[in-house]
Coordinates of all heavy atoms in Angstrom, one line a residue:
E25 N -3.4 -5.7 3.9 CA -4.0 -6.5 4.9 C -5.6 -6.6 4.8 O -6.2 -7.7 4.8 CB -3.7 -6.1 6.3 CG -4.2 -7.0 7.4 CD -3.8 -6.6 8.8 OE1 -3.4 -5.4 9.0 OE2 -3.9 -7.4 9.7
P26 N -6.3 -5.4 4.6 CA -7.7 -5.5 4.4 C -8.2 -6.4 3.3 O -9.2 -7.1 3.3 CB -8.2 -4.1 4.2 CG -7.1 -3.3 4.9 CD -5.8 -4.0 4.6
L27 N -7.4 -6.4 2.2 CA -7.7 -7.3 1.0 C -7.5 -8.7 1.3 O -8.3 -9.6 0.9 CB -6.9 -6.8 -0.2 CG -7.1 -5.4 -0.7 CD1 -6.2 -5.2 -1.9 CD2 -8.6 -5.2 -1.1
R28 N -6.5 -9.0 2.1 CA -6.3 -10.4 2.5 C -7.4 -10.9 3.4 O -7.9 -12.0 3.3 CB -4.9 -10.6 3.3 CG -3.7 -10.5 2.4 CD -2.5 -11.0 3.2 NE -2.2 -10.1 4.4 CZ -1.5 -9.0 4.3 NH1 -0.9 -8.6 3.2 NH2 -1.3 -8.3 5.4
I29 N -7.8 -10.0 4.3 CA -8.9 -10.4 5.2 C -10.2 -10.6 4.4 O -11.0 -11.5 4.7 CB -9.1 -9.3 6.3 CG1 -7.9 -9.3 7.2 CG2 -10.4 -9.6 7.1 CD1 -7.9 -8.1 8.2
F30 N -10.4 -9.7 3.5 CA -11.6 -9.8 2.6 C -11.6 -11.1 1.8 O -12.7 -11.7 1.6 CB -11.7 -8.6 1.7 CG -13.0 -8.4 1.0 CD1 -14.2 -8.5 1.6 CD2 -13.0 -8.1 -0.4 CE1 -15.4 -8.3 0.9 CE2 -14.1 -8.0 -1.1 CZ -15.3 -8.0 -0.4
G31 N -10.4 -11.5 1.4 CA -10.3 -12.8 0.7 C -10.8 -12.9 -0.7 O -11.1 -14.0 -1.2
K32 N -11.0 -11.8 -1.4 CA -11.7 -11.9 -2.7 C -10.7 -11.9 -3.8 O -11.0 -12.4 -4.9 CB -12.6 -10.7 -2.8 CG -13.4 -10.6 -4.1 CD -14.3 -9.4 -4.2 CE -15.0 -9.3 -5.5 NZ -15.9 -8.1 -5.6
Y33 N -9.5 -11.4 -3.6 CA -8.5 -11.2 -4.7 C -7.3 -12.1 -4.6 O -6.9 -12.5 -3.5 CB -8.1 -9.7 -4.7 CG -9.2 -8.7 -4.7 CD1 -9.5 -8.0 -3.6 CD2 -9.9 -8.5 -5.9 CE1 -10.5 -7.1 -3.6 CE2 -10.9 -7.6 -5.9 CZ -11.2 -6.9 -4.8 OH -12.3 -6.0 -4.8
S34 N -6.7 -12.4 -5.8 CA -5.5 -13.2 -5.8 C -4.4 -12.3 -5.3 O -4.5 -11.1 -5.2 CB -5.2 -13.6 -7.2 OG -4.9 -12.5 -8.0
A35 N -3.2 -13.0 -5.0 CA -2.1 -12.3 -4.5 C -1.6 -11.2 -5.5 O -1.2 -10.1 -5.1 CB -1.0 -13.2 -4.1
Q36 N -1.6 -11.6 -6.8 CA -1.2 -10.7 -7.8 C -2.1 -9.5 -7.9 O -1.6 -8.3 -8.0 CB -1.2 -11.4 -9.2 CG -0.7 -10.5 -10.3 CD -0.6 -11.3 -11.6 OE1 -1.0 -12.5 -11.7 NE2 -0.1 -10.6 -12.7
E37 N -3.4 -9.7 -7.8 CA -4.4 -8.6 -7.9 C -4.2 -7.7 -6.6 O -4.3 -6.5 -6.7 CB -5.8 -9.1 -8.0 CG -6.9 -8.1 -8.0 CD -6.8 -7.1 -9.2 OE1 -6.2 -7.5 -10.2 OE2 -7.5 -6.1 -9.1
R38 N -4.0 -8.3 -5.5 CA -3.8 -7.5 -4.3 C -2.6 -6.6 -4.4 O -2.7 -5.4 -4.1 CB -3.6 -8.4 -3.0 CG -4.9 -9.2 -2.7 CD -4.8 -9.7 -1.2 NE -3.6 -10.5 -1.0 CZ -3.5 -11.8 -1.1 NH1 -4.6 -12.5 -1.5 NH2 -2.4 -12.5 -0.8
K39 N -1.5 -7.1 -4.9 CA -0.3 -6.3 -5.1 C -0.5 -5.1 -6.0 O -0.1 -4.0 -5.8 CB 0.9 -7.2 -5.6 CG 1.3 -8.3 -4.7 CD 1.8 -7.9 -3.3 CE 2.3 -9.1 -2.5 NZ 2.7 -8.8 -1.2
K40 N -1.3 -5.4 -7.1 CA -1.6 -4.4 -8.1 C -2.4 -3.3 -7.4 O -2.2 -2.1 -7.7 CB -2.3 -5.0 -9.3 CG -2.7 -4.0 -10.4 CD -3.3 -4.8 -11.5 CE -3.7 -3.8 -12.6 NZ -4.7 -2.8 -12.2
R41 N -3.4 -3.7 -6.7 CA -4.3 -2.7 -6.0 C -3.5 -1.9 -5.0 O -3.8 -0.7 -4.8 CB -5.5 -3.4 -5.4 CG -6.5 -3.9 -6.4 CD -7.6 -4.7 -5.7 NE -8.7 -5.0 -6.7 CZ -9.8 -4.3 -6.9 NH1 -10.0 -3.2 -6.1 NH2 -10.7 -4.6 -7.8
V42 N -2.6 -2.5 -4.3 CA -1.8 -1.7 -3.3 C -1.0 -0.6 -4.0 O -0.9 0.5 -3.6 CB -0.9 -2.7 -2.5 CG1 0.2 -1.9 -1.7 CG2 -1.7 -3.6 -1.6
I43 N -0.3 -1.0 -5.1 CA 0.6 0.0 -5.8 C -0.3 1.1 -6.4 O 0.1 2.3 -6.3 CB 1.4 -0.7 -6.9 CG1 2.4 -1.7 -6.3 CG2 2.1 0.3 -7.8 CD1 3.3 -1.1 -5.3
D44 N -1.5 0.7 -6.9 CA -2.4 1.7 -7.4 C -2.9 2.7 -6.3 O -2.9 3.9 -6.5 CB -3.6 1.1 -8.1 CG -4.6 2.1 -8.5 OD1 -4.4 2.8 -9.5 OD2 -5.7 2.1 -7.9
M45 N -3.2 2.2 -5.1 CA -3.6 3.0 -4.1 C -2.5 3.9 -3.5 O -2.8 5.0 -3.2 CB -4.3 2.2 -3.0 CG -5.0 3.0 -1.9 SD -6.2 4.1 -2.6 CE -7.4 2.9 -3.2
L46 N -1.3 3.4 -3.4 CA -0.2 4.2 -3.0 C 0.0 5.4 -4.0 O 0.3 6.5 -3.5 CB 1.1 3.4 -2.9 CG 1.1 2.3 -1.8 CD1 2.5 1.6 -1.8 CD2 1.0 3.0 -0.4
D47 N -0.1 5.1 -5.2 CA 0.0 6.2 -6.2 C -1.1 7.2 -6.0 O -0.9 8.4 -6.1 CB -0.1 5.6 -7.6 CG 0.0 6.6 -8.7 OD1 1.0 7.3 -8.8 OD2 -1.0 6.8 -9.4
R48 N -2.3 6.8 -5.7 CA -3.4 7.7 -5.6 C -3.2 8.6 -4.4 O -3.7 9.8 -4.4 CB -4.8 6.9 -5.4 CG -5.3 6.3 -6.6 CD -6.6 5.5 -6.3 NE -7.1 4.8 -7.5 CZ -7.9 5.3 -8.4 NH1 -8.3 6.5 -8.3 NH2 -8.3 4.5 -9.4
V49 N -2.5 8.1 -3.3 CA -2.3 9.0 -2.1 C -0.9 9.7 -2.2 O -0.5 10.3 -1.2 CB -2.4 8.2 -0.8 CG1 -3.8 7.6 -0.7 CG2 -1.3 7.1 -0.7
G50 N -0.2 9.6 -3.4 CA 1.0 10.3 -3.6 C 2.2 9.7 -3.1 O 3.2 10.4 -2.8
L51 N 2.3 8.3 -3.0 CA 3.5 7.6 -2.6 C 4.0 6.8 -3.7 O 3.2 6.0 -4.3 CB 3.2 6.8 -1.3 CG 2.9 7.6 -0.1 CD1 2.5 6.6 1.0 CD2 4.0 8.5 0.4
P52 N 5.3 6.8 -4.0 CA 5.9 6.0 -5.1 C 5.8 4.5 -4.8 O 5.7 4.1 -3.6 CB 7.3 6.5 -5.2 CG 7.3 7.8 -4.5 CD 6.3 7.8 -3.5
P53 N 5.9 3.6 -5.8 CA 5.8 2.2 -5.5 C 6.8 1.7 -4.5 O 6.5 0.7 -3.8 CB 6.0 1.6 -6.9 CG 5.6 2.6 -7.9 CD 6.0 3.9 -7.2
E54 N 8.0 2.2 -4.5 CA 9.1 1.7 -3.6 C 8.8 1.9 -2.1 O 9.4 1.3 -1.3 CB 10.4 2.4 -3.9 CG 10.5 3.9 -3.9 CD 10.2 4.6 -5.2 OE1 9.5 4.0 -6.1 OE2 10.6 5.7 -5.3
Y55 N 7.8 2.8 -1.8 CA 7.4 2.9 -0.4 C 6.7 1.7 0.1 O 6.6 1.6 1.3 CB 6.5 4.2 -0.3 CG 7.3 5.5 -0.2 CD1 8.0 5.9 -1.2 CD2 7.2 6.2 1.0 CE1 8.7 7.1 -1.1 CE2 7.9 7.4 1.2 CZ 8.7 7.8 0.1 OH 9.4 9.0 0.2
A56 N 6.3 0.8 -0.7 CA 5.6 -0.4 -0.3 C 6.6 -1.3 0.5 O 6.2 -2.1 1.4 CB 5.1 -1.2 -1.5
K57 N 7.9 -1.1 0.3 CA 8.9 -1.9 1.0 C 9.4 -1.2 2.3 O 10.2 -1.8 3.1 CB 10.1 -2.1 0.1 CG 9.8 -2.9 -1.2 CD 11.0 -3.1 -2.0 CE 10.6 -3.9 -3.3 NZ 11.8 -4.1 -4.2
R58 N 8.9 0.0 2.6 CA 9.4 0.7 3.8 C 8.5 0.4 5.0 O 7.4 -0.1 4.8 CB 9.4 2.2 3.5 CG 10.3 2.6 2.4 CD 10.5 4.1 2.4 NE 11.3 4.5 1.3 CZ 11.7 5.8 1.0 NH1 11.3 6.8 1.8 NH2 12.5 6.1 0.0
K59 N 9.0 0.6 6.2 CA 8.3 0.5 7.4 C 7.9 1.8 7.9 O 8.5 2.9 7.6 CB 9.1 -0.3 8.4 CG 9.3 -1.8 8.0 CD 9.9 -2.6 9.1 CE 10.0 -4.0 8.7 NZ 10.7 -4.9 9.7
P60 N 6.8 1.9 8.8 CA 6.3 3.2 9.2 C 7.3 4.1 9.8 O 7.3 5.3 9.7 CB 5.2 2.8 10.2 CG 4.7 1.5 9.8 CD 5.9 0.8 9.2
R61 N 8.3 3.5 10.5 CA 9.3 4.4 11.2 C 10.2 5.1 10.2 O 10.9 6.1 10.5 CB 10.2 3.5 12.1 CG 11.1 2.5 11.4 CD 12.0 1.8 12.4 NE 12.8 0.8 11.8 CZ 12.4 -0.5 11.6 NH1 11.2 -0.9 12.0 NH2 13.2 -1.4 11.0
E62 N 10.2 4.7 8.9 CA 11.0 5.3 7.9 C 10.3 6.4 7.2 O 10.8 7.1 6.3 CB 11.4 4.2 6.9 CG 12.2 3.1 7.4 CD 12.5 2.0 6.4 OE1 13.4 2.3 5.5 OE2 11.9 1.0 6.4
L63 N 9.1 6.7 7.6 CA 8.2 7.7 6.9 C 8.0 8.9 7.8 O 8.1 8.8 9.0 CB 6.9 7.1 6.6 CG 6.8 5.8 5.8 CD1 5.4 5.4 5.6 CD2 7.6 5.9 4.5
S64 N 7.8 10.0 7.2 CA 7.4 11.3 7.9 C 6.0 11.1 8.4 O 5.2 10.2 8.0 CB 7.5 12.5 7.0 OG 6.6 12.4 5.9
G65 N 5.5 12.1 9.2 CA 4.2 12.1 9.7 C 3.2 12.2 8.6 O 2.1 11.5 8.6
G66 N 3.4 13.0 7.6 CA 2.5 13.2 6.5 C 2.5 11.9 5.6 O 1.4 11.5 5.1
Q67 N 3.6 11.3 5.4 CA 3.6 10.1 4.6 C 2.9 8.9 5.4 O 2.2 8.2 4.7 CB 5.1 9.6 4.4 CG 5.8 10.6 3.4 CD 7.3 10.4 3.4 OE1 7.9 9.8 4.3 NE2 7.9 10.8 2.3
R68 N 3.0 8.9 6.7 CA 2.3 7.9 7.4 C 0.8 8.1 7.3 O 0.0 7.1 7.2 CB 2.7 7.9 8.9 CG 4.1 7.3 9.1 CD 4.4 7.0 10.6 NE 4.5 8.2 11.4 CZ 5.7 8.7 11.7 NH1 6.8 8.2 11.3 NH2 5.7 9.8 12.5
Q69 N 0.4 9.4 7.4 CA -1.1 9.6 7.2 C -1.6 9.2 5.8 O -2.7 8.8 5.7 CB -1.4 11.1 7.5 CG -2.9 11.3 7.7 CD -3.5 10.5 8.8 OE1 -3.7 9.3 8.7 NE2 -3.9 11.2 9.9
R70 N -0.7 9.4 4.8 CA -1.1 9.0 3.5 C -1.3 7.5 3.4 O -2.2 6.9 2.8 CB 0.0 9.4 2.5 CG 0.0 10.9 2.2 CD 1.2 11.3 1.3 NE 1.3 12.8 1.2 CZ 0.7 13.5 0.3 NH1 0.0 12.9 -0.7 NH2 0.8 14.8 0.3
V71 N -0.4 6.7 4.2 CA -0.6 5.3 4.2 C -1.9 5.0 4.9 O -2.6 4.1 4.5 CB 0.6 4.6 5.0 CG1 0.4 3.1 5.2 CG2 1.9 4.8 4.2
G72 N -2.2 5.7 6.0 CA -3.5 5.5 6.7 C -4.7 5.7 5.8 O -5.6 4.9 5.9

C-alpha cells in the first residue's frame, strides 16, 4: 500500500519489492496471500 500511495513504481516492481521485504523480515513469499488473522503475533509484527 505505501508504494501504491507513493505512485513511483509499476505494479510488477511493487510486487517484487514486497516479496523482497517479506524475505528481509523473515516471512516466506506465500505469506503475501495470507490475512493478518492467520498470523501469529510475532508474524504480524514482522509485517508491521
